[in-house]
Amino acid sequence: LVLLGALDVLYMMWRRRTGEASLATSTWLLFLCVSCLVAIGVAVPLGNHNFWASSQVFFDITALNSYNGVDPARMRGQELMDAGRVMFVNGTRLDLTRAMGFRNVETYCVAPITGGAVVGNPPLAAYDFWAVGKDCCSSNSADFRCGEYNNLEARAGVRLMRDEDRAFFRLAVQQAESAYGIKATHPLFFHWVRDPVAETFQYQQGAFQTYMVAMFAFFAFQCVLVFIGAGVFCKFV
């Protein structure tokens, strides 16, 4: 594109010297090339960020399995290693008294998913299912406020897909194990929600909305530039 723009400008300058074109014509060609370069320069990093932040998460979750009727009191994390969306049995809840936060620039918050079909909700042999979130708790008290933690109808989880966060959530779980004397053999991390399908498709909708907003924003910006350019270049006609 740069080479094409340079060739166009040189060609128009040659035509202007021979009296076949005006300076305004060559200036408009230069304006077009520069604005296209700006569009590409902005679109590539924004599009890349939009893909990894929203689209890739959506694709990763939908590529995994969905499980219904999962009982955290009877099932282990090793049984659901390919889980993307999980619907737990009635009676499943968050044990907010055993929540924990780990601070590393951001606060990584975890709370065990407990309850299930076992009568009396006794302590679990292994706490392998954890609700997670960032910056929605403090690192020195059990005050988990992530996701739909206070929604009594919520009993589902959408799998955490960001690899860069998983290690910090594991550290938070290890702190909870030490503080509360519990065991997490193979912890799996989920965002606690009521409707896992709708939550998953929000990533896709978010990616599309970002794309549309960016497209129309640059269109408006380009219209402003054309209006300004028309007022400036008409002086050279």
Side-chain angles (χ1 to χ4, degrees):
L1 187 59
V2 175
L3 178 60
L4 180 61
L7 291 176
D8 280 340
V9 170
L10 291 174
Y11 175 66
M12 293 307 300
M13 290 179 65
W14 175 78
R15 291 189 61 191
R16 181 174 174 271
R17 286 186 177 182
T18 59
E20 298 179 11
S22 65
L23 178 61
T25 305
S26 59
T27 306
W28 273 116
L29 288 174
L30 180 60
F31 170 83
L32 178 62
C33 292
V34 171
S35 61
C36 287
L37 285 174
V38 172
I40 295 173
V42 173
V44 170
L46 286 183
N48 187 62
H49 173 75
N50 188 33
F51 174 80
W52 289 108
S54 299
S55 297
Q56 185 62 52
V57 178
F58 170 77
F59 295 142
D60 288 342
I61 293 174
T62 54
L64 297 173
N65 273 333
S66 296
Y67 290 91
N68 293 317
V70 174
D71 190 342
R74 297 177 176 174
M75 302 184 71
R76 298 292 178 264
Q78 293 93 327
E79 301 177 58
L80 283 81
M81 294 179 65
D82 63 342
R85 290 172 290 192
V86 171
M87 181 66 72
F88 295 97
V89 297
N90 290 326
T92 303
R93 59 183 176 82
L94 299 182
D95 187 352
L96 300 180
T97 63
R98 292 187 171 96
M100 183 59 67
F102 175 82
R103 178 73 177 176
N104 181 37
V105 182
E106 298 174 297
T107 302
Y108 296 82
C109 310
V110 298
I113 301 172
T114 62
V118 178
V119 178
N121 292 328
L124 305 184
Y127 291 80
D128 281 352
F129 303 97
W130 294 78
V132 300
K134 291 198 295 185
D135 293 330
C136 45
C137 70
S138 60
S139 57
N140 53 10
S141 62
D143 57 349
F144 187 87
R145 302 181 303 275
C146 308
E148 300 185 53
Y149 75 100
N150 58 351
N151 187 346
L152 298 179
E153 297 182 358
R155 57 181 180 89
V158 176
R159 187 77 170 270
L160 171 75
M161 302 306 302
R162 302 190 187 283
D163 294 334
E164 63 272 17
D165 292 337
R166 193 170 291 114
F168 296 111
F169 285 122
R170 285 200 182 103
L171 291 174
V173 170
Q174 290 174 13
Q175 286 188 174
E177 288 181 282
S178 177
Y180 305 122
I182 59 178
K183 181 181 179 181
T185 306
H186 190 91
L188 300 181
F189 304 120
F190 298 91
H191 298 288
W192 187 249
V193 298
R194 184 184 67 84
D195 188 343
V197 175
E199 187 71 19
T200 301
F201 277 90
Q202 280 188 1
Y203 289 107
Q204 185 186 50
Q205 294 171 0
F208 181 73
Q209 289 174 357
T210 301
Y211 164 75
M212 294 299 294
V213 169
M215 182 178 65
F216 283 107
F218 191 84
F219 175 74
F221 176 70
Q222 183 74 0
C223 289
V224 172
L225 291 182
V226 170
F227 179 78
I228 295 174
V232 173
F233 298 158
C234 66
K235 299 178 181 180
F236 298 101
V237 177

